[in-house]
Structures are given as structure tokens and as C-alpha cells.
């Protein structure tokens, strides 16, 4: 195991990961953020260098953390050889198994391997899989002249409570703090009403993934979700980031929207495992 602290090596890794799209997208997004100021205090672990077979991004050991915060305590995984990934999992000090955390990636074998190691350590595992999506750089923004309200802006930390209440994964203190951190660190897009309140929005997570895209029920069917999604995709692309997202298989409204803007549904799926030590399972 080796922690890559050298900025030159991290830039080389970024270029290397790009040649393994789409499976490397989550790790690639995290490494891009590390190379551009590292606002989320992440670091990179590889099995070897430069001929790595597995890479994991994780929270820096010295970063302040909440053991119940699986939103922030998140690992992204990419491997060329799944056995190298398993060996990294089993190595001491690569993963903090004493807290609630998540593992995510775009390779199916990581599910079984992660579960097997977690079960051996008596951690509970909750797996959710999604369709993985990528926005084309050529997607065209819709005409906004007829939209009311037309005020397109970005999210503020003061909006975090609303986002926490409306996110299917939210409703708790850890998520509230996580959302505040995302808003402070990464690009977001928001449509506001005449009073300045958010009515439709999307933000970006620590892996440069578009997330928590939501429109208040009374403001749906007005074109806001489409406007927000494409604007955020363009914003990410203008900064050199891939515009990626995830959608649940049964979220037909979002799938229809993504098809209407010619987003690409990737051949691989996005997998997120939430792992809980026995001490916190209650």
C-alpha cells in the first residue's frame, strides 16, 4: 500500500485514470478535486506505483470526522485486478472499519469482494445500484425566455436545511453538515422564485458527481429540472470535469428527462455500499 502525496504523481494518475473511462469515473472525479485544491481533504491509496492495479480514494487520516457520517466517510474504488483491490481492503490502515462508511464504484465485482471482507469483520452492508449517466458536451441548453421565475443562480449554505429535508437520503444532522460542505466546496445550480427561495436545484459531490437533483412538487412540469441539469453539466464541463450522474431504475421521471436531453446511459452500473460496524447497528 502506498499513499500518493506527490502532486506530480497525482496529476499522472489523473491522466492514467482517464484512459479507463467509464469504470474509473468516480475515482477520477475525486482525484480531479484533490488536484484542484482538495477542498474535501481526500487522499489516494494505491497498491503499487506507477504500475498500480487498484486505487482507492479516502478521507485524509488527519481530517476531523464523525464516525456516524457515511456521507463524508466515503471511499471510491477502481481496479485493474480485483484481487489487488481485495488485498488493499484486507491491509491494515487502508479502511477505517470502526466507523459507518460507504464504498462506491462502477465495477460489479467490488460488491461481492467488499461484502466478503466486511462480513468477515462483522459489519452490516447495504447495497444500492443505479444506472450510471454521462452528459454529452454537445447537449443543448433549453430556451429559458418563457420560464417564470427565470432566476437561475447557485445554492447557498442557508439552503442546506431545505435540501436535507427533501433528499431521500437525508433528514439527519450528518447529512445536513455534508450538504453544507458540498455547497461550500463544489458547483451547484438553483432556480429561485420571486422571493428568492429555491424551487429546483442540483449540486455536485466529492466525486464530481451531479447529485440531489430535485424540484419542489408545485414547480414541476415547468422545465426547471431540465434547465438545472444541463446548466450544471455545462458548468462542470467548462471546468474540465466529466458531467456524470446516477439514477435509480424505478425513477422513471428522471430517466425520461435524461433521455430527452440525450444523456448517455453507461454500460456499467454505479454501486454504493453503506457499511455499518456492529457497535452502530442499533
Amino acid at each position: 500500500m502506498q499513499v500518493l502525496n506527490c502532486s506530480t504523481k497525482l496529476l499522472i494518475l489523473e491522466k492514467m485514470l482517464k484512459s479507463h473511462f467509464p469504470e474509473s469515473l468516480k475515482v477520477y472525479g475525486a482525484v480531479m478535486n484533490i488536484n484542484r485544491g482538495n477542498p474535501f481533504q481526500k487522499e489516494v491509496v494505491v497498491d503499487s506505483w506507477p504500475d498500480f492495479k487498484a486505487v482507492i480514494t479516502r478521507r485524509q487520516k488527519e481530517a476531523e470526522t464523525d464516525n456516524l457520517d457515511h456521507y463524508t466517510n466515503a471511499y471510491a474504488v477502481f481496479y485493474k485486478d480485483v484481487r489487488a483491490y481485495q488485498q488493499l481492503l484486507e491491509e491494515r490502515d487502508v479502511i477505517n472499519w470502526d466507523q459507518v462508511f460507504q464504498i462506491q464504484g462502477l465495477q460489479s465485482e467490488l460488491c461481492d469482494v467488499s461484502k466478503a471482507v466486511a462480513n468477515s469483520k462483522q459489519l452490516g452492508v447495504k447495497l444500492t445500484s443505479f444506472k450510471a449517466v454521462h452528459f454529452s458536451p454537445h447537449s443543448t441548453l433549453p430556451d429559458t425566455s418563457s420560464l417564470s421565475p427565470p432566476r437561475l443562480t447557485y445554492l447557498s449554505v442557508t439552503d442546506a436545511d431545505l435540501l436535507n429535508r427533501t433528499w431521500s437520503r437525508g433528514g439527519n444532522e450528518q447529512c445536513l453538515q455534508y450538504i453544507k460542505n458540498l455547497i461550500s466546496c463544489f458547483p451547484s445550480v438553483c432556480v429561485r422564485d420571486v422571493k428568492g427561495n429555491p424551487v429546483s436545484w442540483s449540486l455536485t459531490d466529492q466525486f464530481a458527481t451531479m447529485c440531489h437533483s430535485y424540484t419542489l412538487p408545485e414547480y414541476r412540469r415547468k422545465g426547471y429540472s431540465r434547465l438545472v441539469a444541463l446548466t450544471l453539466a455545462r458548468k462542470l464541463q467548462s471546468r474540465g470535469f466529466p458531467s456524470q450522474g446516477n439514477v435509480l431504475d424505478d425513477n422513471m421521471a428522471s430517466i425520461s428527462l435524461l433521455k430527452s436531453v440525450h444523456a448517455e446511459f453507461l454500460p456499467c452500473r454505479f454501486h454504493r455500499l453503506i457499511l455499518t460496524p456492529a457497535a452502530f447497528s442499533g
Side-chain angles (χ1 to χ4, degrees), residues 124-138:
V125 181
K126 178 184 177 182
L127 168 66
T128 311
S129 293
F130 306 74
K131 294 180 183 293
V133 182
H134 182 259
F135 285 82
S136 165
H138 307 295

Side-chain angles (χ1 to χ4, degrees), residues 140-170:
T140 55
L141 288 171
D143 178 19
T144 63
S145 59
S146 62
L147 294 181
S148 178
R151 192 153 88 87
L152 189 65
T153 180
Y154 47 84
L155 290 163
S156 163
V157 171
T158 57
D159 303 319
D161 185 63
L162 173 63
L163 270 66
N164 186 35
R165 286 186 279 112
T166 52
W167 200 359
S168 59
R169 295 178 57 204

Side-chain angles (χ1 to χ4, degrees), residues 5-163:
N5 292 319
C6 171
S7 58
T8 301
K9 291 179 180 179
L10 287 166
L11 287 170
I12 293 172
L13 176 63
E14 182 181 317
K15 292 179 181 178
M16 294 168 76
L17 289 167
K18 197 169 185 178
S19 66
H20 293 283
F21 281 2
E23 288 84 359
S24 64
L25 270 170
K26 299 299 174 182
V27 172
Y28 178 78
V31 172
M32 282 196 76
N33 281 326
I34 292 171
N35 288 336
R36 287 151 184 79
N38 199 14
F40 232 72
Q41 297 177 276
K42 308 286 281 190
E43 64 184 11
V44 175
V45 175
V46 292
D47 64 313
S48 59
W49 183 260
D51 185 25
F52 73 88
K53 294 183 178 64
V55 54
I56 297 175
T57 64
R58 66 183 186 186
R59 186 85 161 162
Q60 289 176 337
K61 288 293 185 70
E62 60 271 23
E64 185 177 342
T65 185
D66 177 347
N67 283 335
L68 293 175
D69 181 7
H70 73 265
Y71 307 94
T72 304
N73 305 330
Y75 300 77
V77 173
F78 170 71
Y79 52 81
K80 301 175 187 176
D81 183 339
V82 70
R83 292 169 297 181
Y85 169 55
Q86 181 170 346
Q87 288 170 2
L88 271 184
L89 280 184
E90 292 172 342
E91 273 197 48
R92 184 180 178 185
D93 293 335
V94 173
I95 303 291
N96 183 352
W97 298 96
D98 296 324
Q99 59 183 197
V100 186
F101 66 96
Q102 64 171 285
I103 295 175
Q104 57 174 257
L106 292 160
Q107 295 165 284
S108 58
E109 291 172 300
L110 78 84
C111 299
D112 288 340
V113 170
S114 303
K115 279 184 178 180
V117 178
N119 289 339
S120 72
K121 298 178 180 293
Q122 298 182 320
L123 275 77
V125 181
K126 178 184 177 182
L127 168 66
T128 311
S129 293
F130 306 74
K131 294 180 183 293
V133 182
H134 182 259
F135 285 82
S136 165
H138 307 295
S139 298
T140 55
L141 288 171
D143 178 19
T144 63
S145 59
S146 62
L147 294 181
S148 178
R151 192 153 88 87
L152 189 65
T153 180
Y154 47 84
L155 290 163
S156 163
V157 171
T158 57
D159 303 319
D161 185 63
L162 173 63
L163 270 66

Side-chain angles (χ1 to χ4, degrees), residues 261-273:
V261 298
H262 307 293
E264 176 189 5
F265 288 86
L266 300 175
C268 52
R269 292 179 63 81
F270 168 59
H271 306 284
R272 183 183 68 228
L273 297 93

